[in-house]
């Protein structure tokens, strides 16, 4: 049962929105760090001016990385959008977020090799840019299309929240004199976002769908039996109707093994 009228005020009162927001922040932070610090990273690893030849083109590693990164960061948005239409938003998020985490981790290990620097920064930007297609689509899927623009805009403020982490990244680099801990932190956040998409996001989405049943208008039968809607996750939902139109919902059996 779906409803197409979840406003931003209702949305921010749901746990699933804040899980989505946290995932967006964690994924955006790593990508913003790479975008803002690519030149200093290249210089610190002493690869910025080293020439790299790839597909018949020879350029300094930093210039090559900046060029490839912008192209892949654009291509990834329709690509992962298409993938998510085929296999689902959450599954696509898990794949992309894990690639991002592995890419950042590998960048910290092999950035001193010019060719690896170019290829791995491309991978990081490829796995990062998909957030700008997956999250708005997931927001629309979850909260409906009537207020989709407002809801997606509110979710997009997570990018601004993520940008507030950049000074912390730079402070860590300054304090330690190395980018390694910054890479570990950014990679760890991407992996956490992937695990949230894999284990928590879908379960919360299911509970939210069930809760929307209470939007029925009129006299509601005291109990509605749902015959295993999603692999026996929920077996029974009780809905009670009051004269003041306030409905209460009670989960009899939730997330049983």
């Amino acid at each position: 049962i779906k409803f197409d009228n979840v406003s931003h005020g209702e949305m921010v009162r749901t746990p699933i929105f804040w899980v989505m927001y946290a995932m967006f922040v964690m994924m955006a932070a790593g990508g913003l760090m790479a975008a803002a610090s690519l030149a200093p990273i290249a210089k610190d690893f002493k690869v910025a001016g080293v020439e790299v030849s790839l597909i018949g083109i020879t350029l300094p590693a930093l210039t090559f990385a900046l060029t490839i990164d912008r192209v892949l960061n654009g291509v990834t948005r329709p690509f992962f959008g298409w993938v998510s239409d085929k296999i689902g938003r959450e599954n696509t998020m898990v794949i992309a977020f894990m690639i991002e985490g592995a890419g950042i981790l590998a960048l910290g290990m092999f950035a001193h090799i010019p060719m690896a620097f170019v290829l791995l920064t491309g991978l990081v930007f490829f796995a990062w840019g998909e957030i700008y297609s997956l999250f708005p689509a997931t927001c629309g899927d979850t909260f409906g299309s009537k207020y989709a623009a407002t809801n997606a805009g509110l979710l997009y403020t997570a990018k601004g929240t993520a940008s507030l982490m950049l000074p912390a990244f730079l402070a860590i680099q300054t304090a330690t004199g190395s980018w390694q801990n910054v890479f570990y932190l950014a990679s760890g956040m991407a992996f956490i976002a992937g695990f949230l998409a894999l284990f928590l996001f879908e379960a919360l989405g299911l509970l939210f769908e069930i809760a929307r049943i209470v939007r029925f208008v009129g006299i509601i039968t005291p109990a509605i039996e749902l015959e295993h809607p999603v692999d026996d996750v929920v077996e029974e939902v009780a809905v009670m109707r009051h004269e003041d139109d306030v409905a209460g919902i009670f989960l009899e059996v939730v997330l049983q093994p």
Side-chain angles (χ1 to χ4, degrees):
I1 301 170
K2 291 183 178 291
F3 297 88
D4 212 22
N5 58 344
V6 180
S7 68
H8 65 279
E10 296 171 306
M11 181 179 71
V12 297
R13 292 196 293 270
T14 64
I16 189 172
F17 169 75
W18 292 108
V19 171
M20 198 184 307
Y21 195 92
M23 291 163 59
F24 198 137
V25 169
M26 287 187 285
M27 280 299 297
L32 291 172
M33 178 275 296
S37 305
L38 195 61
I41 291 172
K43 291 176 182 178
D44 287 349
F45 280 95
K46 304 185 187 311
V47 297
V50 180
E51 291 190 342
V52 172
S53 295
L54 189 65
I55 58 173
I57 302 172
T58 301
L59 291 171
L62 178 57
T63 304
F64 218 145
L66 289 169
T67 303
I68 291 179
D69 295 347
R70 297 305 179 264
V71 173
L72 292 178
N73 190 244
V75 170
T76 185
R77 305 180 192 202
F79 172 77
F80 275 110
W82 172 78
V83 172
S84 73
D85 289 339
K86 300 296 183 181
I87 67 173
R89 313 292 186 217
E90 293 85 359
N91 292 332
T92 306
M93 284 182 175
V94 172
I95 294 170
F97 296 176
M98 293 303 179
I99 292 174
E100 176 76 353
I104 295 174
L105 198 59
L107 182 62
M109 297 171 62
F110 303 109
H112 63 282
I113 304 172
M115 180 64 76
F117 176 81
V118 171
L119 296 178
L120 288 172
T121 54
L123 180 65
V124 167
F125 276 82
F126 181 74
W128 171 54
E130 44 70 34
I131 63 177
Y132 301 110
S133 60
L134 290 185
F135 278 102
T138 304
C139 186
D141 291 345
T142 305
F143 301 109
S145 61
K146 185 173 182 180
Y147 302 102
T150 302
N151 290 344
L154 185 59
L155 178 61
Y156 193 75
T157 63
K159 182 180 179 181
T161 303
S163 70
L164 298 177
M165 300 184 67
L166 295 183
F169 285 134
L170 295 177
I172 292 172
Q173 192 278 330
T174 301
T176 61
S178 169
W179 289 99
Q180 291 301 325
N181 289 330
V182 175
F183 289 140
Y184 291 149
L185 178 58
S187 175
M189 289 192 297
F191 284 132
I192 291 172
F195 283 118
L196 287 176
L198 180 63
F199 295 112
L200 183 60
F201 189 72
E202 187 172 359
L204 286 175
L206 175 62
L207 295 181
F208 181 70
E209 286 297 319
I210 294 171
R212 293 163 97 179
I213 293 173
V214 302
R215 292 182 174 279
F216 275 124
V217 177
I219 303 299
I220 299 177
T221 305
I224 299 176
E225 296 288 342
L226 301 180
E227 294 184 359
H228 314 302
V230 181
D231 298 329
D232 296 334
V233 173
V234 177
E235 294 182 353
E236 181 178 324
V237 177
V239 181
M240 301 184 66
R241 175 74 159 80
H242 299 286
E243 292 182 357
D244 59 356
D245 291 334
V246 177
I249 183 168
F250 304 89
L251 301 180
E252 295 279 336
V253 181
V254 178
L255 300 178
Q256 288 191 355

